Amino acid sequence: RQRQMCIRDRHNLSLIKDDYDYIIIDNSPFKSYLTTCAMCASNKIITPICVDNFSYDGLMSLFDTIEDLNAKYALSIEFAGMFMTRVAGRTTLYKQMFESYENMFGDKFLPVSIRNCIAVNESNTLFEPLLTYDKRSTAAQDYIELVNYLGLMDNKHYRELAKYLKGEKK
Protein backbone atom coordinates (compact mmCIF):
# COMPACT_ATOMS: atom_id res chain seq x y z
CA ARG A 1 0.00 0.00 0.00
CA GLN A 2 2.81 2.43 0.86
CA ARG A 3 4.45 1.71 -2.51
CA GLN A 4 1.19 2.57 -4.31
CA MET A 5 0.90 5.85 -2.37
CA CYS A 6 4.51 6.81 -3.14
CA ILE A 7 4.04 6.11 -6.84
CA ARG A 8 0.73 8.02 -6.90
CA ASP A 9 2.25 11.05 -5.09
CA ARG A 10 5.18 11.14 -7.49
CA HIS A 11 2.80 10.81 -10.47
CA ASN A 12 0.47 13.57 -9.20
CA LEU A 13 3.39 15.99 -8.83
CA SER A 14 4.62 15.11 -12.31
CA LEU A 15 1.28 16.37 -13.68
CA ILE A 16 1.99 19.91 -12.46
CA LYS A 17 5.80 20.06 -12.44
CA ASP A 18 6.00 21.92 -15.77
CA ASP A 19 3.89 24.73 -14.28
CA TYR A 20 6.50 25.51 -11.59
CA ASP A 21 10.22 26.09 -11.33
CA TYR A 22 10.23 24.53 -7.85
CA ILE A 23 7.76 22.66 -5.72
CA ILE A 24 8.75 22.81 -2.07
CA ILE A 25 7.25 20.33 0.37
CA ASP A 26 7.74 21.44 3.96
CA ASN A 27 6.80 18.77 6.43
CA SER A 28 7.41 17.57 9.94
CA PRO A 29 10.85 16.14 10.69
CA PHE A 30 9.28 13.14 12.39
CA LYS A 31 9.37 9.90 10.46
CA SER A 32 5.80 9.21 9.47
CA TYR A 33 3.73 8.00 6.57
CA LEU A 34 3.26 11.58 5.32
CA THR A 35 6.99 12.30 5.54
CA THR A 36 7.75 9.12 3.59
CA CYS A 37 5.25 10.11 0.89
CA ALA A 38 6.75 13.60 0.66
CA MET A 39 10.22 12.12 0.33
CA CYS A 40 9.09 9.71 -2.39
CA ALA A 41 7.58 12.60 -4.33
CA SER A 42 10.81 14.59 -4.07
CA ASN A 43 13.87 14.75 -6.28
CA LYS A 44 16.03 16.50 -3.70
CA ILE A 45 15.93 16.93 0.05
CA ILE A 46 17.27 19.83 2.08
CA THR A 47 16.90 19.61 5.83
CA PRO A 48 17.34 21.95 8.77
CA ILE A 49 19.48 20.85 11.69
CA CYS A 50 19.76 22.27 15.19
CA VAL A 51 22.85 22.66 17.31
CA ASP A 52 22.46 19.39 19.19
CA ASN A 53 23.21 15.68 18.98
CA PHE A 54 19.58 14.80 18.27
CA SER A 55 19.80 16.59 14.91
CA TYR A 56 22.95 14.67 14.03
CA ASP A 57 21.22 11.38 14.87
CA GLY A 58 18.19 12.44 12.85
CA LEU A 59 20.43 13.33 9.93
CA MET A 60 22.01 9.88 9.95
CA SER A 61 18.51 8.35 10.05
CA LEU A 62 17.50 10.56 7.11
CA PHE A 63 20.43 9.27 5.05
CA ASP A 64 19.34 5.69 5.80
CA THR A 65 15.73 6.48 4.88
CA ILE A 66 16.73 8.05 1.55
CA GLU A 67 18.88 5.04 0.75
CA ASP A 68 16.08 2.63 1.70
CA LEU A 69 13.45 4.49 -0.36
CA ASN A 70 15.73 4.70 -3.38
CA ALA A 71 16.38 0.96 -3.22
CA LYS A 72 12.82 -0.09 -2.37
CA TYR A 73 11.02 2.03 -4.97
CA ALA A 74 13.75 2.45 -7.62
CA LEU A 75 13.91 6.20 -6.99
CA SER A 76 16.78 8.64 -7.22
CA ILE A 77 16.13 10.96 -4.29
CA GLU A 78 19.18 13.13 -3.70
CA PHE A 79 20.28 14.58 -0.39
CA ALA A 80 20.98 18.16 -1.49
CA GLY A 81 22.05 19.68 1.79
CA MET A 82 21.45 20.89 5.29
CA PHE A 83 21.40 24.23 7.05
CA MET A 84 21.49 25.17 10.72
CA THR A 85 18.37 26.56 12.34
CA ARG A 86 17.36 27.94 15.73
CA VAL A 87 20.83 29.35 16.10
CA ALA A 88 21.19 31.27 19.37
CA GLY A 89 23.65 34.02 18.66
CA ARG A 90 27.14 33.34 17.54
CA THR A 91 28.05 31.20 20.53
CA THR A 92 31.13 29.02 20.85
CA LEU A 93 28.93 25.90 20.55
CA TYR A 94 27.39 27.21 17.33
CA LYS A 95 30.79 28.02 15.85
CA GLN A 96 32.13 24.58 16.79
CA MET A 97 29.10 22.75 15.37
CA PHE A 98 29.16 24.89 12.21
CA GLU A 99 32.81 24.04 11.62
CA SER A 100 32.24 20.38 12.45
CA TYR A 101 29.30 20.01 10.01
CA GLU A 102 31.19 21.95 7.36
CA ASN A 103 34.18 19.59 7.69
CA MET A 104 32.03 16.43 7.75
CA PHE A 105 29.63 17.25 4.92
CA GLY A 106 31.52 19.69 2.68
CA ASP A 107 29.33 21.26 0.02
CA LYS A 108 26.23 19.50 1.39
CA PHE A 109 26.47 21.85 4.38
CA LEU A 110 24.87 25.15 3.42
CA PRO A 111 26.65 28.10 5.04
CA VAL A 112 23.43 29.99 5.83
CA SER A 113 22.04 29.72 9.35
CA ILE A 114 18.59 30.69 10.59
CA ARG A 115 18.72 32.64 13.84
CA ASN A 116 16.49 31.74 16.75
CA CYS A 117 13.51 34.06 16.68
CA ILE A 118 10.25 34.10 18.60
CA ALA A 119 8.43 35.27 15.45
CA VAL A 120 8.93 31.80 13.92
CA ASN A 121 7.14 30.08 16.81
CA GLU A 122 4.39 32.70 16.85
CA SER A 123 3.77 32.49 13.09
CA ASN A 124 3.70 28.68 13.26
CA THR A 125 1.20 28.78 16.11
CA LEU A 126 -1.03 31.12 14.11
CA PHE A 127 -0.54 29.13 10.87
CA GLU A 128 0.64 32.32 9.21
CA PRO A 129 3.65 32.57 6.89
CA LEU A 130 6.62 34.22 8.54
CA LEU A 131 6.88 36.84 5.80
CA THR A 132 3.36 38.09 6.48
CA TYR A 133 3.60 37.70 10.25
CA ASP A 134 6.91 39.56 10.71
CA LYS A 135 8.75 40.29 7.49
CA ARG A 136 11.48 42.19 9.34
CA SER A 137 12.33 39.39 11.77
CA THR A 138 15.88 38.06 11.75
CA ALA A 139 14.64 34.61 10.78
CA ALA A 140 12.72 35.99 7.78
CA GLN A 141 15.88 37.74 6.62
CA ASP A 142 17.84 34.50 7.09
CA TYR A 143 15.33 32.43 5.12
CA ILE A 144 15.49 34.95 2.27
CA GLU A 145 19.28 34.68 2.35
CA LEU A 146 18.93 30.86 2.18
CA VAL A 147 16.59 31.05 -0.83
CA ASN A 148 19.00 33.47 -2.48
CA TYR A 149 21.98 31.21 -1.72
CA LEU A 150 20.18 28.24 -3.25
CA GLY A 151 19.44 30.28 -6.36
CA LEU A 152 15.71 29.70 -6.09
CA MET A 153 14.77 33.27 -6.94
CA ASP A 154 15.53 35.27 -10.04
CA ASN A 155 16.57 38.93 -9.88
CA LYS A 156 13.12 40.26 -10.77
CA HIS A 157 11.43 38.41 -7.91
CA TYR A 158 14.25 39.25 -5.53
CA ARG A 159 13.74 42.97 -6.26
CA GLU A 160 9.98 42.59 -5.70
CA LEU A 161 10.65 40.88 -2.40
CA ALA A 162 13.09 43.62 -1.37
CA LYS A 163 10.41 46.25 -2.08
CA TYR A 164 7.86 44.28 -0.06
CA LEU A 165 10.27 44.01 2.86
CA LYS A 166 10.83 47.78 2.79
CA GLY A 167 7.07 48.35 2.73
CA GLU A 168 7.02 49.74 -0.79
CA LYS A 169 4.29 49.01 -3.29
CA LYS A 170 5.02 47.19 -6.56
Side-chain angles (χ1 to χ4, degrees):
R1 179 154 167 84
Q2 188 171 14
R3 178 176 170 74
Q4 291 171 335
M5 291 295 291
C6 287
I7 291 169
R8 188 175 72 217
D9 291 342
R10 198 164 186 85
H11 171 74
N12 288 341
L13 279 177
S14 74
L15 297 175
I16 62 169
K17 75 177 183 175
D18 292 337
D19 297 335
Y20 300 93
D21 293 329
Y22 303 95
I23 299 172
I24 298 174
I25 304 171
D26 182 6
N27 56 275
S28 166
F30 301 108
K31 193 171 182 178
S32 68
Y33 182 70
L34 291 175
T35 303
T36 300
C37 287
M39 290 174 71
C40 285
S42 300
N43 296 320
K44 296 180 181 182
I45 294 176
I46 297 173
T47 189
I49 52 173
C50 293
V51 183
D52 60 31
N53 288 331
F54 296 115
S55 285
Y56 180 80
D57 293 343
L59 190 58
M60 296 301 107
S61 177
L62 176 63
F63 293 153
D64 292 340
T65 301
I66 291 170
E67 188 176 312
D68 291 346
L69 292 173
N70 282 339
K72 188 174 185 179
Y73 301 120
L75 300 173
S76 56
I77 304 165
E78 175 191 341
F79 178 75
M82 70 192 89
F83 61 96
M84 295 181 85
T85 188
R86 297 184 183 172
V87 171
R90 303 295 181 212
T91 63
T92 302
L93 176 61
Y94 162 75
K95 290 175 187 175
Q96 289 172 344
M97 294 299 288
F98 187 98
E99 187 177 312
S100 178
Y101 278 120
E102 193 173 42
N103 289 334
M104 275 192 284
F105 298 104
D107 65 349
K108 297 294 184 189
F109 179 71
L110 308 176
V112 177
S113 297
I114 311 301
R115 290 170 277 185
N116 196 18
C117 177
I118 191 67
V120 172
N121 295 335
E122 292 171 349
S123 69
N124 285 341
T125 300
L126 297 171
F127 298 104
E128 187 174 340
L130 182 60
L131 280 179
T132 55
Y133 182 75
D134 186 355
K135 64 185 176 186
R136 291 191 173 93
S137 69
T138 57
Q141 294 168 18
D142 295 340
Y143 278 113
I144 291 166
E145 183 181 342
L146 178 64
V147 167
N148 193 40
Y149 179 83
L150 293 169
L152 300 178
M153 192 181 317
D154 61 25
N155 286 336
K156 177 185 178 230
H157 290 97
Y158 186 78
R159 285 191 303 274
E160 288 177 17
L161 180 58
K163 285 180 184 179
Y164 168 75
L165 294 174
K166 290 179 185 175
E168 299 174 15
K169 296 189 180 194
K170 290 185 180 182

